[in-house]
Amino acid sequence: MAGNSQKHSFVSQYFLPSTEDERKRLDWQNRYMTKVVFDGKLICVPTTLNPGDELLETGTGTGIWLLDVARDAHPKVSLTGIDINRHLFPTEYPHNIAFAIHTVTNLPDSWSDRFKVANQRLLAGALTSEQWGTALSELYRVLKPGGWVQLLETGPETTAYSGPNTKLFIDAFIALYASKGLALDIHETILAQAGFVNVQKRTIAQGCYGLYTTGETSLAYDRAV
């Protein structure tokens, strides 16, 4: 089984605030991603959640994705959301949702082989390249055999410069990530090293919004049986 019980200290490189305005932005962003990248589907991996199953979301933020899942899932499906602080956690939510402070690089030992599905979105701005390897190993460890992790990340499309201002923005974006040691892409090699198989990758090219062009990438990986 991939991963182990060794724990690591965690220092986040995340540079966005935890304010009420940020809550609104994250809620809008999350539902936009669901609509555009996942064709309106909250869970795109080839599995079904049944009563008694458990689902994990890491980097849950406002919990908006879990709240949306709870509306469709059976009430006996347990939903767990974690983040490195509780500032953005909702104050009201269904009884089958639980929120807790944890980091994806250091999940509880008791969670091994527990979850059928894990969801994670937009942590490229929080994890260094080294931390990604640890995070993926931890996700692999807490998934049941045959379970799935669903990932979505975004980054600049460096071949889609539409003008000098856009190029300046994208170059600054890349330089910011590089200065913090952040990874702009999740390479299949890292997933394979964590133990994942049946990797499925889909890249969705987005249009030009304001000053820049982005590409949205959704990823799903199957935990080895």
Side-chain angles (χ1 to χ4, degrees):
M1 183 181 73
N4 53 55
S5 61
Q6 182 180 356
K7 298 305 178 183
H8 309 268
S9 61
F10 177 76
V11 178
S12 174
Q13 298 296 323
Y14 193 67
F15 47 83
L16 294 177
S18 297
T19 62
E20 190 59 30
D21 285 343
E22 178 67 358
R23 176 192 298 277
K24 294 175 182 178
R25 186 193 70 81
L26 288 171
D27 284 351
W28 178 88
Q29 174 183 263
N30 202 292
R31 285 178 169 159
Y32 173 82
M33 297 292 187
T34 296
K35 179 180 179 180
V36 175
V37 180
F38 290 112
D39 299 323
K41 299 176 182 178
L42 293 165
I43 299 175
C44 294
V45 295
T47 192
T48 301
L49 293 176
N50 300 309
D53 286 337
E54 297 191 54
L55 178 151
L56 172 68
E57 182 179 39
T58 58
T60 192
T62 68
I64 189 67
W65 185 84
L66 285 178
L67 294 173
D68 288 345
V69 170
R71 283 200 289 266
D72 298 330
H74 192 282
K76 290 189 177 181
V77 171
S78 297
L79 310 173
T80 300
I82 68 164
D83 214 315
I84 58 174
N85 64 58
R86 63 175 71 252
H87 297 156
L88 295 174
F89 288 172
T91 56
E92 297 182 1
Y93 44 88
H95 72 278
N96 62 329
I97 298 180
F99 292 99
I101 297 177
H102 291 295
T103 168
V104 67
T105 62
N106 188 359
L107 298 174
D109 290 333
S110 60
W111 286 7
S112 294
D113 301 324
R114 175 172 171 176
F115 298 98
K116 190 172 186 178
V117 174
N119 181 71
Q120 181 174 287
R121 294 185 174 188
L122 304 178
L123 282 195
L127 299 176
T128 65
S129 298
E130 181 180 357
Q131 287 169 339
W132 266 110
T134 303
L136 292 171
S137 291
E138 285 288 272
L139 285 169
Y140 182 88
R141 177 178 64 82
V142 302
L143 285 170
K144 289 182 174 181
W148 286 83
V149 60
Q150 176 176 275
L151 306 175
L152 180 145
E153 293 299 336
T154 180
E157 176 51 68
T158 56
T159 61
Y161 295 149
S162 59
N165 290 332
T166 299
K167 185 179 186 305
L168 285 173
F169 178 89
I170 291 178
D171 288 347
F173 185 95
I174 293 172
L176 173 63
Y177 270 51
S179 70
K180 293 179 173 291
L182 301 172
L184 282 170
D185 192 15
I186 307 170
H187 297 287
E188 286 83 346
T189 302
I190 302 177
L191 286 141
Q193 290 172 345
F196 289 101
V197 297
N198 195 11
V199 175
Q200 300 176 27
K201 181 175 181 178
R202 186 164 63 112
T203 299
I204 309 297
Q206 297 298 290
C208 190
Y209 299 94
L211 297 176
Y212 61 96
T213 301
T214 63
E216 311 298 344
T217 301
S218 64
L219 303 164
Y221 312 98
D222 187 10
R223 185 195 192 286
V225 177

